[in-house]
Amino acid sequence: MDTHSGTSVQDKGTRRIGSALVLGIALMMVVLDILLDTLILDQFGQPILWPAFIVLIIGAAAITLICLRGMRREKSILTRYEDALGQLRAVADNLPGALFQWFMTRDGDCGFRYISQRAEELFGINVDEVCKDWKKIHIHPGDLSRWAETLRRCRDTMQDWNFEGRIIHPSGEVQWLRCMAKLDRGKEGEVIFNGIILDVTDAKDAEREIKEIRRNAERLGAEILLVNQSLNESNDTLKRINRQKNEILGVAAHDLKNPLGGVVGFAGAMRASLDEEQLDPIRADLVDMTDSIEQSARHMLNIINGLLNASALEDGAVQLEMSPCDMEALAKSVESMNEAASRRKDIKVQIDSEPDCVVNGDPQRLRELLDNIVSNAIKYSQNGQAVAIRVYHSGPSYVQVSVRDEGPGLTDDDKTKLFGKFQKLSARPTGGESSTGLGLAIAKSIVELHGGKIWAESEYGKGSTFYIELPVNPPKQSCSLPL
């Protein structure tokens, strides 16, 4: 494509019309000469010229018509050509890159034959100036030799040209360009590069950012790996310390359990030996002291049993003895275990159960689970209130137990630490009962050992409901979950 192609075509058309006109006139002159040589003489011996004039007029008219027709045809062709050329230029100027035609000769001469208007944006130089002197494009010194080498190699091998390099814009900014071209043979040994130049500066910037992000990610990954290793080491250390703590607690609890059991037994025997009907003031004081000793010893014994139980569950030392368990029967058993405490506070415990609520579980652990929940409900209820126990099927493969009380309920803060070890909640036992802070944590571990779940729903000031959901056939458990 040549920037002067329209003018060239017009000049060629004009020359063709001129040539036809000259040829027509020459032919007409030849015909006229022949006619003059063969003129007919009139009666006076003078030649008769009017036939020649007629031939001349007809010839002139014919030549004029031929020329006019040729001019119209050439004009039509030129118009179509200019329209097509304008459309092609519009397409070229609206492409994302600059179309170009570059030539190279064997002796090293080279330059742009054509480059589209988009190049002015890329190079910051007028397109006509670029076509006159391509060296006005400031190729980055770091890429200049590589640019020249790739051009020479493609010229010699006739392989497609693909080059990516930098130029320095007149504004001083560095731009990345990608050049792609197909090669053709031209006249006199020229090699013609027909292609496109694209601005890939944004893509290069994005590529650098991606590489930087990848490097940062790799660095962060390495740091996270080191932190994880450190955390694993710390976790192993904490596990070892926790095992040592549990061993120490276990030894201490076992050493204290038997003496405390003896204290409880002796206190009970002393209390039984005192005849309430024949009490003098001194003996009455002894009765009160004996009751206090027994209550304190039982409280300490409960704490020790809780610690031993929690340590066993945490260490995975508990192996479930699985058998069919009737949850209604277990609920009634727990009601009997807490009968004295409920009678002392005039609390009515109600049990409502659907038939055949049987799960496969460890009856001793499930009884302990229900006892922790029911005894808490009684412990935090006021005198004369009620505790409701429901046992029912929550699905074809699950049994659910709910325990509802009319106590003070749970605050939002209570709910966040409900099943943690040694957690003290906002509510306090209403009858002076003791609390170890381990009951709900142990209950949660027992439920999860059976593949179930436990949760509470409560509105502060309106009581609480604890839900226990157990699968009828729990998955086999070989270890316990940590408290």
Side-chain angles (χ1 to χ4, degrees), residues 104 134 139-155 161-167 174-179 193 200 204:
M104 286 188 73
W134 66 268
I139 300 173
H140 195 282
D143 296 330
L144 183 58
S145 60
R146 188 166 57 89
W147 174 80
E149 174 59 29
T150 58
L151 280 174
R152 284 193 295 267
R153 185 172 63 250
C154 290
R155 179 198 62 187
W161 185 47
N162 285 285
F163 176 78
E164 207 170 77
R166 296 161 292 175
I167 66 166
V174 175
Q175 288 180 268
W176 278 89
L177 301 181
R178 178 177 297 157
C179 308
F193 293 68
V200 293
K204 282 292 182 179

Side-chain angles (χ1 to χ4, degrees), residues 9 65 78 86 106 139 141 170 181 220 263 281 315 338 367 378 412 421 449 462:
V9 170
L65 288 174
L78 181 60
R106 290 295 176 184
I139 300 173
L220 286 174
V263 170
D315 290 340
N338 289 275
R367 185 180 290 106
I378 295 171
D412 290 338
K421 288 194 299 183
L449 276 171
K462 296 184 179 181

Side-chain angles (χ1 to χ4, degrees), residues 334-377:
V334 169
E335 178 193 14
S336 298
M337 291 167 58
N338 289 275
E339 185 176 0
S342 61
R343 186 183 298 116
R344 188 164 51 248
K345 298 174 71 173
D346 191 26
I347 291 174
K348 185 177 182 181
V349 179
Q350 300 173 329
I351 298 177
D352 179 22
S353 177
E354 293 180 356
D356 301 323
C357 289
V358 178
V359 301
N360 190 30
D362 186 323
Q364 178 183 347
R365 294 298 173 183
L366 292 179
R367 185 180 290 106
E368 181 181 0
L369 160 66
L370 293 178
D371 181 51
N372 282 331
I373 304 300
V374 173
S375 63
N376 271 356

Side-chain angles (χ1 to χ4, degrees), residues 236-256:
D236 292 340
T237 301
L238 289 173
K239 286 180 179 179
R240 185 176 66 254
I241 293 172
N242 192 49
R243 283 195 299 270
Q244 293 173 353
K245 178 263 297 180
N246 287 339
E247 291 173 1
I248 293 170
L249 284 176
V251 171
H254 278 293
D255 289 345
L256 290 172

Side-chain angles (χ1 to χ4, degrees), residues 35 47 406:
L35 288 173
E406 297 174 349

